[in-house]
Amino acid sequence: WNLESGTIGLSSNWLEILGLDEAEYLPSSEWFNCLIHPDDLPIVLFKLEKNLSVSQDDEKFFFRLKHKD
């Protein structure tokens, strides 16, 4: 994930897990946010903003991604 450009790289394995092919892949954070389960998106965005604004070594959290189906 490149924070400066807003691009996110996903491997072909991740695309397969999500039921997507490479033609459907857009390497942007906006596109990736659409893959995050709607119930999880607010907390993901909150934690991301918190981690970007406050220097933290490593914080782990889990969230769900939607499969194409």
Side-chain angles (χ1 to χ4, degrees):
W1 183 13
N2 183 320
L3 295 174
E4 290 180 13
S5 67
T7 59
I8 294 178
L10 292 179
S11 69
S12 57
N13 289 339
W14 266 108
L15 293 174
E16 184 179 344
I17 289 168
L18 296 171
L20 301 167
D21 61 41
E22 292 192 27
E24 297 171 289
Y25 169 61
L26 299 171
S28 70
S29 56
E30 293 84 10
W31 177 83
F32 186 78
N33 286 351
C34 291
L35 296 176
I36 298 173
H37 190 284
D39 292 343
D40 296 344
L41 185 58
I43 191 70
V44 169
L45 295 176
F46 172 78
K47 288 183 174 276
L48 178 61
E49 184 65 32
K50 179 181 143 196
N51 284 314
L52 292 176
S53 64
V54 177
S55 178
Q56 293 190 357
D57 291 337
D58 188 21
E59 180 179 350
K60 296 179 184 177
F61 60 94
F62 297 91
F63 57 92
R64 298 167 285 178
L65 294 175
K66 298 183 289 185
H67 190 273
K68 180 180 176 179
D69 298 336

